[in-house]
Amino acid sequence: MDCPTKNAAVLDPSWVDEVLLAGPAADICLRLPEPVDRSTLRHLIGAAQTRLTAAGLRAGGAAALRLPPSLAYVVNLLATWRLGAQAVLLDHRLTDHEVDRALARLTPQVVVAPVRSGGGALRVFVEVTEGVVPFSAHPAVSGHAVIQLSSGSTGPSKVIGRTAADLIAEVRRYTRIDGVALPGERIILLPSMVHVLGLVGGLLYGLHAGVELVGPERLVGDAVLASIRAQNTPATVLGVPFHIGLLASCRADGPLPQLIRMTTGGELVPAATVQAFTDRFGVPLGNMYGMTEVGVIGTDLYGRNRPAVVPAPGIEVRVVGGELQVSCPASPYVGLTDPGRWADGWLHTRDAGIVDAATGLVTIKGRLDSQVSVGGLKVDLTEVEATLTALPGVAAAVVVQDDGITAYVQPDGPLSEAALEELLAERLAGYKRPRTLHLLDRLPRTTTGKLVRAVPVLRAALP
C-alpha cells in the first residue's frame, strides 16, 4: 500500500529534481501572487541550500521551518529535501511555548524563521525575509522526510512522520484520481502548505503535474474570485469547508467560466451548503477525506456519491467494530506506540463509517466517540450536530458529551437560546436534544480550519 514503509531512511535527494522540479525552465509553477518559473525556483532553492549548509544543516539532519505561507517557505522546504535532510514543519501560528516544546523534542540542526515579513492582514502568501540559525548538532530523530504536528482538533497534537517514498507515492496517487487539476490548469490554494492537503494536494502535486499553484492576494471572497478570473486557464479551488463561506460572502461580477470545481478536505459539508454552492456557481463541490498520517484516503470530486467517497488508488479501507481503518505497513508516529492508533499494519482513524461491499464506497459517519447513551437510549452526536447546523441562523456547531449533551453554537445573525431550543424541539426527540446550549461569537478552530472538539478548549472559549 502507499503508506509509510518500515525503517525507511530519507531517500536520495535527487527525488526533488526528478519528481518535483522537472519540466521546462520557463513554465510558471507558482503565482504567489508574482509568477515564479521553474528556472527561478531552482535558482532560489540552490541559494537556500548554501545558507542552510552554512548554518550547519547536513544530510540526515533536520531543519525546522517556522515560516508563514510564502515563497520562502517553498524554497527552504525543497532546499532541505535537496540536501537529504528532514523538514520539520511548524505552523507559524503556534505559540513560542508550543514551538519550544517541539524543538526540544525534535532537535533540528537549524531553525528557519522570519526576520522580516510584510503584506498585511489576510494575505494568503506573505513576503518573508528568512533567517537561519543553528540549533543542535543532532541527526534527525527519524528517517522521515517530513515531520508534521497534527492539528489537535480532539486532543493534544501528535508528531507524524512521512518518508520521501510516502510523499512520492501520494503525489503519483493524485495523478490517478479522476477530477484533479490537470497539467496546464491552475489550483487556487487556500489551505496552509504546512498541513497535508495544502502540502501534497496543492504544492507537491502541482509541481509534479505541471499545474500552476495560485495564491489569492487576500483571504477574502472577492480576492479568490479575482484570482480565478486573472487567467483564462481552468481553475480548481482547493480549500476546507470554512473557505466555502468566503466565496459565499461575495457576489460574482459576471460569469466565471474558468472555475471548474471546488474541492474541500476536512469536515463533511452540510447538504444545504453544498446545494447553495452548486446553485450559485454552477460547478461541482468535491469532497476529499484524508489524514495527516497517510494523506488522501478517498475522494468524490464530482459530488456524485456524497457523503460517500471512493478509496484513492492504492488505498485499502476496512471497518472493524464500526471504525474505519486504513492499511499502513508502518506506524507514522514518532515516539508514539499507542496500539489504539496503529497496530498490525492498520491505521485506526477513530472515525465511524461503513464500506459498501458491492461498490466499495466509504461513508464516514463522524467520530467513533460520537455515540453516547442517554437514559439507556443511544444518541449519535453527529446527528444532533448536523441538525443544528442545518437550522436557520446557525453558522457552525459542535456537539459534545460534557455532563450531558452540550452544544456550542456560532450564530449567523440574531439568534437566541430560546429560539434555538424551539427549532430543535420540532426536529429532535427530547432525549437527543442538548441539555446545555452555548452561543459563541466564534467557535474555536484548529490552524487547518477544523472545528475544535476538545471539551477543555470549548469551555475556555466561553465568555
Side-chain angles (χ1 to χ4, degrees):
M1 294 297 102
D2 296 334
C3 290
T5 50
K6 293 182 178 179
N7 303 319
V10 176
L11 292 184
D12 185 323
S14 62
W15 76 275
V16 178
D17 289 286
E18 294 170 359
V19 177
L20 303 179
L21 297 180
D27 277 5
I28 302 299
C29 49
L30 305 171
R31 200 176 292 270
L32 308 177
E34 297 302 317
V36 179
D37 60 31
R38 290 187 183 273
S39 176
T40 301
L41 183 59
R42 292 174 190 140
H43 173 76
L44 292 172
I45 293 169
Q49 286 179 247
T50 300
R51 292 192 297 272
L52 291 167
T53 301
L57 182 62
R58 300 291 181 266
L65 307 183
R66 191 188 184 185
L67 293 167
S70 56
L71 181 58
Y73 168 83
V74 174
V75 166
N76 281 278
L77 172 66
L78 299 180
T80 296
W81 287 340
R82 222 179 186 194
L83 288 170
Q86 179 185 87
V88 177
L89 307 185
L90 301 175
D91 194 297
H92 71 288
R93 293 163 290 196
L94 295 176
T95 65
D96 290 342
H97 175 71
E98 290 170 312
V99 169
D100 289 344
R101 289 179 61 187
L103 295 178
R105 180 175 182 181
L106 300 171
T107 60
Q109 292 178 340
V110 302
V111 177
V112 186
V115 295
R116 185 172 65 253
S117 61
L122 298 179
R123 282 291 298 267
V124 178
F125 291 90
V126 300
E127 299 172 4
V128 169
T129 300
E130 73 275 27
V132 186
V133 295
F135 186 83
S136 81
H138 296 292
V141 295
S142 69
H144 300 101
V146 65
I147 294 289
Q148 294 170 278
L149 303 180
S150 71
S151 58
S153 62
T154 58
S157 295
K158 302 177 292 296
V159 178
I160 296 166
R162 302 188 71 193
T163 67
D166 301 332
L167 298 177
I168 294 169
E170 189 183 0
V171 165
R172 290 176 173 160
R173 187 184 308 150
Y174 268 98
T175 66
R176 298 159 58 194
I177 295 174
D178 186 22
V180 296
L182 299 175
E185 297 182 355
R186 293 174 293 150
I187 293 175
I188 312 299
L189 185 67
L190 303 183
S192 171
M193 292 185 294
V194 169
H195 303 286
V196 65
L197 179 61
L199 174 66
V200 186
L203 177 63
L204 303 190
Y205 169 70
L207 290 174
H208 172 73
V211 176
E212 186 177 304
L213 201 69
V214 178
E217 287 275 5
R218 300 173 72 236
L219 195 57
V220 294
D222 289 337
V224 175
L225 297 183
S227 65
I228 296 169
R229 194 177 287 112
Q231 279 84 43
N232 292 325
T233 51
T236 295
V237 176
L238 185 63
V240 297
F242 166 76
H243 296 128
I244 300 173
L246 296 180
L247 295 181
S249 67
C250 59
R251 180 176 300 172
D253 184 17
L256 279 174
Q258 301 96 327
L259 179 62
I260 57 175
R261 79 172 39 80
M262 180 173 183
T263 298
T264 65
E267 301 162 331
L268 291 175
V269 181
T273 303
V274 174
Q275 190 63 52
F277 178 89
T278 54
D279 287 348
R280 180 164 187 177
F281 293 101
V283 299
L285 181 61
N287 180 36
M288 187 177 293
Y289 171 60
M291 297 178 66
T292 303
E293 289 85 338
V294 294
V296 60
I297 296 171
T299 63
D300 178 34
L301 301 191
Y302 291 94
R304 295 167 178 161
N305 303 305
R306 192 178 298 275
V309 295
V310 178
I315 291 292
E316 186 178 350
V317 182
R318 71 180 186 182
V319 176
V320 177
E323 180 190 33
L324 292 173
Q325 298 181 2
V326 181
S327 180
C328 197
S331 173
Y333 300 109
V334 177
L336 179 67
T337 57
D338 179 6
R341 299 298 323 209
W342 178 92
D344 301 324
W346 290 91
L347 180 72
H348 296 234
T349 68
R350 294 190 175 173
D351 285 331
I354 57 175
V355 178
D356 188 286
T359 65
L361 291 174
V362 179
T363 301
I364 301 94
K365 295 290 191 179
R367 300 297 299 172
L368 194 65
D369 55 8
S370 66
Q371 301 283 335
V372 300
S373 179
V374 177
L377 299 171
K378 291 293 184 183
V379 179
D380 188 341
L381 300 182
T382 305
E383 177 194 358
V384 181
E385 192 171 292
T387 303
L388 268 169
T389 56
L391 294 177
V394 174
V398 171
V399 178
V400 296
Q401 176 74 346
D402 181 17
D403 191 23
I405 299 175
T406 302
Y408 295 81
V409 179
Q410 179 180 319
D412 181 16
L415 186 67
S416 67
E417 290 184 14
L420 201 54
E421 288 173 348
E422 184 177 340
L423 290 169
L424 285 174
E426 298 172 355
R427 293 162 172 81
L428 286 176
Y431 70 92
K432 294 182 180 180
R433 294 201 294 270
R435 278 184 59 182
T436 308
L437 286 170
H438 297 295
L439 299 184
L440 291 84
D441 291 338
R442 186 173 296 277
L443 290 172
R445 292 180 179 269
T446 69
T447 54
T448 60
K450 292 182 180 179
L451 291 167
V452 172
R453 303 182 186 281
V455 172
V457 178
L458 290 166
R459 287 178 178 174
L462 294 173

